């Protein structure tokens, strides 16, 4: 048993008054009675932001006339959908199902927004079908409970311009020390090895994850926040050195300027998640066929560790009258070969199931990456993501606070470590403001 995540789960349980898991969502209900099939036809509502999700749901509806799903799409979670969910939960009119990223699940959990699907036999029986660490993300470490069905994951690796490294005689770095040396050689050509993101704090969290850190923990009753643990400090100091030595650019990500840097060969690598394959291809079309993917640089030669950036789950919200039918749809959406293949083709969704990693579509060579079967690299990375990383219940707030500090640091006002220190203090204040037990 993972003691760290078990403690995290205990903290969540102590932080809220748990509602029962009856089909009505009332307090004190029986979990055992919460996952019984309904009589007659059932209509479910589902909110997601995945491109092409409507076509996938259409397949389900054609095959399941007695369980019909109406899908509504919106912006990604932090761009408005999560706030809509919280408003709907408060008003008692939330959809039956919703897409929730792993790092946001604890926030919904402490606000009593998720149904425990532990009484749904089919869900619990599917545990071993999923990559181990993804199940930990949705179970919060509780052996008999699960609060969503894993959908996809974001194991990280290194996208790199194979042609430029070869033309300039620069070895592909396999350690972070080698990466810094390569950065110096790349800088000598007038380019940058990569761009340091001021705003993607969840990317930075992925670096910390790979380094063996975790920002949140609990002793069974109180949350502990430690954004400056040894792993976080090591990662912050490393990237601070690259910034100070002008070895990385610091343009805002997801902008035309950022895309142009990759499209014009001004930036040569991107340490990102599997879904980044589409981001590079769409943002740097003039470089098609020149990219490749390698495992993420390691902190020590010979290590095999990967971080994760992103990934979502399909949750059943408190108040749903049909958790049995909702859970059946969530399982189909995230385990069937048909659905997973469609989701990969329409939105580059990378499955959270073990078998899903072997889908034929994921074994094909990708033209943009010189014909390399890049998903083999990510499949290996997925198996190397630690199970011991836990998210806190106020991640949006944490991301915003740390991002403010990172933006200041790249402008010369303080350091990345200063930003983490201030973010830690702000996170503790946010927890206290929500009456969530926290240890300073």
């Amino acid at each position: 048993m993972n003691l760290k995540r078990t403690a995290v789960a205990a903290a969540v349980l102590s932080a809220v008054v748990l509602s029962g898991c009856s089909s009505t969502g009332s307090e004190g209900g029986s979990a055992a009675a919460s996952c019984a099939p309904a009589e007659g036809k059932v209509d479910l509502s589902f909110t997601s932001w995945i491109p092409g999700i409507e076509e996938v749901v259409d397949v389900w509806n054609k095959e399941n006339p007695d369980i019909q799903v109406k899908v509504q799409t919106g912006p990604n979670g932090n761009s408005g959908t999560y706030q809509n969910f919280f408003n709907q939960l408060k008003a008692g009119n939330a959809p039956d199902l919703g897409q929730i990223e792993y790092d946001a699940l604890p926030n919904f959990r402490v606000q009593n927004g998720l149904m425990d699907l532990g009484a749904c036999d089919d869900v619990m029986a599917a545990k071993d079908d999923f990559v181990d660490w993804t199940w930990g993300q949705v179970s919060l470490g509780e052996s008999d409970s699960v609060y969503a069905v894993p959908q996809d994951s974001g194991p990280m690796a290194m996208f790199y311009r194979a042609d430029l490294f070869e033309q300039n005689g620069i070895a592909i770095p396999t350690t972070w020390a080698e990466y810094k040396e390569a950065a110096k050689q790349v800088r000598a050509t007038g380019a940058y090895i990569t761009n340091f993101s001021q705003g993607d704090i969840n990317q930075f969290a992925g670096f910390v994850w790979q380094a063996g850190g975790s920002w949140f923990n609990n002793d069974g009753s109180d949350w502990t926040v430690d954004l400056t643990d040894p792993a976080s400090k090591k990662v912050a100091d490393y990237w601070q050195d690259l910034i100070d030595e002008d070895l990385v650019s610091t343009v805002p990500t997801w902008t035309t300027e950022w895309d142009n840097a990759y499209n014009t060969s001004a930036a040569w690598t991107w340490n990102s998640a599997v879904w980044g394959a589409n981001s590079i291809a769409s943002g740097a079309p003039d470089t098609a066929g020149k990219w490749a993917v390698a495992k993420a640089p390691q902190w020590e030669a010979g290590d095999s560790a990967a971080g994760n950036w992103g990934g979502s789950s399909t949750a059943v919200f408190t108040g749903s009258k049909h958790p049995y039918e909702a859970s059946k749809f969530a399982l189909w959406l995230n385990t069937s070969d048909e659905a997973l293949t469609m989701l990969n083709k329409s939105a580059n969704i990378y499955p959270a199931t073990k078998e899903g990693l072997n889908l034929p579509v994921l074994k094909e060579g990708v033209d943009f990456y010189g014909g390399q079967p890049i998903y083999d690299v990510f499949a290996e990375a997925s198996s190397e993501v630690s199970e011991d990383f836990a998210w806190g219940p106020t991640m949006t707030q944490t991301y915003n606070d740390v991002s403010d500090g990172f933006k200041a640091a790249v402008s010369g006002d303080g350091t990345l470590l200063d930003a983490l220190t201030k973010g830690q203090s702000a996170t503790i204040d946010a927890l206290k403001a929500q009456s969530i037990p926290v240890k300073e």
Side-chain angles (χ1 to χ4, degrees):
M1 179 180 292
N2 188 303
L3 297 179
K4 180 185 292 185
R5 291 213 318 277
T6 300
V8 169
V12 172
L13 291 172
S14 70
V16 295
V17 177
L18 295 179
S19 74
C21 296
S22 69
S23 61
T24 62
S26 61
E27 288 192 9
S30 168
S34 69
C35 208
E39 297 182 5
K41 181 181 176 182
V42 168
D43 292 315
L44 301 172
S45 53
F46 171 44
T47 299
S48 173
W49 57 83
I50 299 176
I53 190 67
E54 298 93 340
E55 288 77 11
V56 182
V57 173
D58 284 345
V59 172
W60 166 270
N61 285 336
K62 290 177 182 177
E63 297 177 355
N64 296 272
D66 292 333
I67 306 175
Q68 292 292 285
V69 178
K70 181 179 181 180
V71 64
Q72 178 179 355
T73 59
N76 66 50
N78 286 319
S79 295
T81 294
Y82 290 157
Q83 189 57 55
N84 288 341
F85 285 160
F86 285 123
N87 292 341
Q88 291 164 341
L89 285 164
K90 185 176 181 180
N93 60 2
D96 293 282
L97 302 111
Q99 181 179 349
I100 302 178
E101 293 159 295
Y102 298 134
D103 56 3
L105 279 173
N107 196 357
F108 283 88
R109 179 73 177 104
V110 299
Q111 298 194 45
N112 199 28
L114 306 176
M115 293 198 75
D116 181 358
L117 302 177
C120 299
D121 292 341
D122 289 348
V123 176
M124 296 303 288
K127 175 182 178 180
D128 290 340
D129 295 339
F130 292 92
V131 175
D132 293 344
W133 69 266
T134 65
W135 190 263
Q137 295 287 300
V138 298
S139 67
L140 299 176
E142 300 176 50
S143 60
D144 297 323
S145 296
V146 61
Y147 298 96
V149 175
Q151 181 171 86
D152 68 324
S153 63
M156 298 174 71
M158 184 179 71
F159 297 94
Y160 69 96
R161 280 288 299 274
D163 61 324
L164 295 177
F165 275 88
E166 182 177 359
Q167 290 168 15
N168 290 276
I170 302 174
I172 307 304
T174 61
T175 66
W176 287 112
E178 291 176 357
Y179 190 81
K180 182 176 181 179
E181 290 306 309
K184 295 177 181 178
Q185 295 174 277
V186 173
R187 192 72 189 99
T189 72
Y192 288 101
I193 194 168
T194 196
N195 182 75
F196 178 80
S197 175
Q198 309 168 40
D200 293 316
I201 309 306
N202 36 3
Q203 178 197 34
F204 189 89
F207 294 147
V208 173
W209 196 333
Q210 184 209 22
S214 184
W215 284 348
F216 294 87
N217 201 349
N218 195 271
D219 63 5
S221 60
D222 297 333
W223 287 94
T224 297
V225 184
D226 192 358
L227 273 61
T228 59
D229 66 354
S232 301
K233 185 177 185 301
K234 176 169 65 174
V235 173
D237 288 345
Y238 177 85
W239 287 100
Q240 186 68 54
D241 285 344
L242 295 185
I243 293 170
D244 290 345
E245 296 181 31
D246 190 34
L247 297 178
V248 293
S249 59
T250 56
V251 302
T253 51
W254 315 113
T255 62
T256 300
E257 183 182 8
W258 184 76
D259 283 338
N260 284 343
Y262 286 99
N263 200 35
T264 61
S265 305
W268 289 16
T269 76
W270 187 30
N271 295 283
S272 186
V274 57
W275 47 260
N278 274 0
S279 300
I280 291 285
S282 61
D286 295 343
T287 62
K290 299 176 180 179
W291 288 84
V293 180
K295 291 187 62 174
Q298 301 293 308
W299 286 103
E300 299 292 339
D303 283 355
S304 294
N308 182 79
W309 179 7
S312 296
S313 66
T314 306
V316 180
F317 286 115
T318 298
S320 173
K321 296 181 180 180
H322 303 292
Y324 174 84
E325 289 77 14
S327 65
K328 285 183 70 68
F329 167 73
L331 281 174
W332 175 86
L333 181 67
N334 299 312
T335 62
S336 76
D337 287 356
E338 184 174 21
L340 293 176
T341 298
M342 291 180 70
L343 290 170
N344 179 264
K345 288 184 176 180
S346 67
N348 199 40
I349 292 297
Y350 192 67
T353 61
K354 296 171 184 175
E355 285 300 316
L357 303 185
N358 295 314
L359 288 175
V361 69
L362 296 178
K363 295 299 181 181
E364 300 171 357
V366 181
D367 290 342
F368 188 87
Y369 295 91
Q372 179 187 2
I374 63 171
Y375 295 108
D376 288 349
V377 179
F378 290 104
E380 183 177 0
S382 182
S383 70
E384 296 170 351
V385 176
S386 169
E387 298 180 49
D388 293 335
F389 192 93
W391 300 108
T394 57
M395 289 311 304
T396 299
Q397 178 75 43
T398 299
Y399 288 153
N400 289 339
D401 290 330
V402 175
S403 178
D404 288 344
F406 276 13
K407 290 173 182 175
V410 299
S411 299
D413 183 9
T415 66
L416 300 180
L417 186 58
D418 291 338
L420 292 174
T421 301
K422 293 175 182 177
Q424 176 174 313
S425 178
T427 297
I428 290 172
D429 290 343
L431 290 170
K432 289 181 176 179
Q434 296 185 43
S435 300
I436 298 174
V438 60
K439 182 185 295 183
E440 295 190 67

